[in-house]
Amino acid sequence: MFNKSAKLGMLNVPYKGESPALTDLLGGQIDLALLTVATARAHIQRGTLKGLAVIAPARAPSLPGVPTFQEQGFKEVNWTGGWYAFMAPAKVPADVAARLVKELHAIGEDAGMRKTMDDLNITVNWMDGPEFAGAMKHDMEVWRTLVQTSGVVIER
């Protein structure tokens, strides 16, 4: 999204995870990388990496000095993050599903869990099944459009 929005013509180099990308970034083999806050935070705070931007609607609480892409004028570059979803088989009885949802909400409200999530820069946004299905559909359309306009070819 950033490459397209900024018209930079950068080359995307796929990595098998953040660790190899971080190693190459710290070693100077690549010029920049898209990393999670959890991976980059310590290096940014130490000064071994410079945080250029956060892809989110708001700054990361653990990196308040790193602006968002939107703050820097890149309005198209806004991603709310990945999904963490609790799923159960479709045939789970309604009372069991309701109990699971209740217990998951309780876990999410636990102070220790909230601190852990904050430290990882994970914002919990509870959605019920239909609302989550709508969010998934929306995000899939955003990514489908991005892939189609990028010229990326996906081999099947």
Side-chain angles (χ1 to χ4, degrees), residues 17-100:
E18 285 187 292
S19 293
L22 177 62
T23 299
D24 281 358
L25 183 61
L26 291 169
Q29 284 81 21
I30 58 175
D31 296 319
L32 58 95
L34 179 62
L35 304 169
T36 61
V37 170
T39 296
R41 180 180 51 237
H43 295 282
I44 293 169
Q45 291 170 338
R46 238 184 269 132
T48 53
L49 287 181
K50 179 174 181 152
L52 301 175
V54 176
I55 300 177
R59 291 183 183 209
S62 61
L63 292 172
V66 180
T68 68
F69 275 96
Q70 289 191 332
E71 287 178 288
Q72 298 181 69
F74 300 101
K75 301 299 181 200
E76 293 177 17
V77 185
N78 180 25
W79 184 46
T80 56
W83 306 317
Y84 297 95
F86 294 99
M87 307 279 189
K91 294 182 180 182
V92 167
D95 62 323
V96 173
R99 171 80 191 271
L100 286 170

Side-chain angles (χ1 to χ4, degrees), residues 79-85 87 125-144:
W79 184 46
T80 56
W83 306 317
Y84 297 95
M87 307 279 189
N125 181 19
W126 292 100
M127 295 182 214
D128 63 13
E131 184 181 7
F132 180 64
M136 284 177 41
K137 184 178 179 180
H138 172 267
D139 284 0
M140 294 301 289
E141 187 55 39
V142 168
W143 285 103
R144 181 181 357 272

Side-chain angles (χ1 to χ4, degrees), residues 80-122:
T80 56
W83 306 317
Y84 297 95
F86 294 99
M87 307 279 189
K91 294 182 180 182
V92 167
D95 62 323
V96 173
R99 171 80 191 271
L100 286 170
V101 168
K102 179 182 173 190
E103 296 299 330
L104 289 168
H105 275 273
I107 291 168
E109 293 301 317
D110 176 77
M113 177 59 82
R114 282 198 320 267
K115 180 176 180 344
T116 298
M117 300 300 250
D118 286 346
D119 288 347
L120 295 171
N121 198 49
I122 296 172

